[in-house]
Amino acid sequence: MDFFVEKETNLLRHVVNWVTDIIVAIALACFTVYAFGSQVTVSGNSMSPLLNSNDVVLINQLVYDLGTPSRFDVVVFEREDRKMNIKRIIGLPGETVQIIDGQVFINGQLLEMEGIQEPKKIALAGLAENPVELGEDEYFLLGDNRDSSEDSRFSNVGNVKGTQIIGKVWLQIYPTMEFGRIQ
C-alpha cells in the first residue's frame, strides 16, 4: 500500500515540476520579448501580401543596437511627422538607388530579390526617377505593395536615417492563423 502512495506522490511531484517549468519558461519568454521589443499594429496595406492592415507584429528593438540594418529587413521607423511606418530596406548607406522602367537599381545594377516574393513593376518612381544618393546613415525603404505605399520615393518620407529606425519586425502574432516569423 505504501508503495502505491509513494508512486502517486512521485508522479504528482513530476507533474507539478513539469507544469512549473513550463510556466517559468513562458514567463521568461514573455519578459524577454517585451523587454527588448514592442508590439505594433500594422496600419494600411503597404506591406501586403506579407502584412495587412490590423495585423499585429512584434519588433526587436535590440537587434540594431548590436548590429546594423541589412537589405530586405522589414523595419519599423518613425517618420519626421512622428508617425510609425513599416517598410522593407532596399538601399543601404552610401548606395545610389534609382527606379528605371518599374525596376529598382542599386549602384546601376538591377536589384535581385532572392527569397522574397517579387513585387510587380513599380508604376510611380517618385524621387527615385533620378538617382537617389544615400548618405552615411541613410536607408531607402519601400513597401512591398509598391502601388499603395508611402515610402522613400516620396518627399514626405524620403531617405530614412538610422536613428529613425526603431527595430526589426520579427514575429507576427495576430491574426493567429498567420502566427510566425517574418523573413
Side-chain angles (χ1 to χ4, degrees), residues 71-119:
R71 188 177 331 275
F72 305 129
D73 283 359
V74 177
V75 298
V76 173
F77 70 99
E78 185 176 25
R79 293 175 18 171
E80 297 292 331
D81 61 5
R82 306 298 243 184
K83 291 182 181 176
M84 301 293 214
N85 276 135
I86 299 175
K87 304 291 180 211
R88 187 179 299 277
I89 295 177
I90 299 297
L92 300 172
E95 294 181 334
T96 300
V97 179
Q98 187 172 13
I99 298 174
I100 303 170
D101 294 329
Q103 296 184 305
V104 178
F105 288 80
I106 305 290
N107 296 330
Q109 301 292 318
L110 180 63
L111 178 64
E112 298 293 330
M113 298 188 67
E114 293 178 25
I116 297 173
Q117 183 176 341
E118 187 74 32

Side-chain angles (χ1 to χ4, degrees), residues 7-181:
K7 192 171 185 176
E8 285 179 9
T9 304
N10 282 340
L11 180 62
L12 182 61
R13 278 190 188 139
H14 285 298
V15 169
V16 168
N17 285 338
W18 183 74
V19 169
T20 303
D21 288 345
I22 288 181
I23 290 171
V24 168
I26 290 171
L28 185 59
C30 289
F31 170 76
T32 302
V33 165
Y34 287 103
F36 300 115
S38 63
Q39 179 178 308
V40 175
T41 301
V42 177
S43 176
N45 288 310
S46 69
M47 287 302 294
S48 179
L50 179 66
L51 298 169
N52 296 300
S53 191
N54 297 320
D55 286 358
V56 178
V57 296
L58 294 178
I59 61 171
N60 182 339
Q61 294 177 300
L62 184 62
V63 68
Y64 297 139
D65 289 339
L66 303 174
T68 58
S70 300
R71 188 177 331 275
F72 305 129
D73 283 359
V74 177
V75 298
V76 173
F77 70 99
E78 185 176 25
R79 293 175 18 171
E80 297 292 331
D81 61 5
R82 306 298 243 184
K83 291 182 181 176
M84 301 293 214
N85 276 135
I86 299 175
K87 304 291 180 211
R88 187 179 299 277
I89 295 177
I90 299 297
L92 300 172
E95 294 181 334
T96 300
V97 179
Q98 187 172 13
I99 298 174
I100 303 170
D101 294 329
Q103 296 184 305
V104 178
F105 288 80
I106 305 290
N107 296 330
Q109 301 292 318
L110 180 63
L111 178 64
E112 298 293 330
M113 298 188 67
E114 293 178 25
I116 297 173
Q117 183 176 341
E118 187 74 32
K120 62 183 182 177
K121 289 194 175 207
I122 301 169
L124 181 61
L127 297 174
E129 182 177 13
N130 299 308
V132 175
E133 295 182 25
L134 300 171
E136 188 175 307
D137 188 39
E138 292 183 332
Y139 297 85
F140 191 88
L141 279 58
L142 291 175
D144 286 358
N145 184 2
R146 308 283 199 249
D147 290 336
S148 181
S149 179
E150 194 173 15
D151 47 40
S152 290
R153 296 174 291 164
F154 304 100
S155 60
N156 60 330
V157 176
N159 298 342
V160 174
K161 297 187 183 316
T163 54
Q164 292 175 267
I165 297 175
I166 295 168
K168 180 177 181 178
V169 176
W170 68 280
L171 187 68
Q172 182 174 354
I173 59 174
Y174 182 83
T176 52
M177 295 297 289
E178 302 293 326
F179 182 88
R181 281 197 62 180

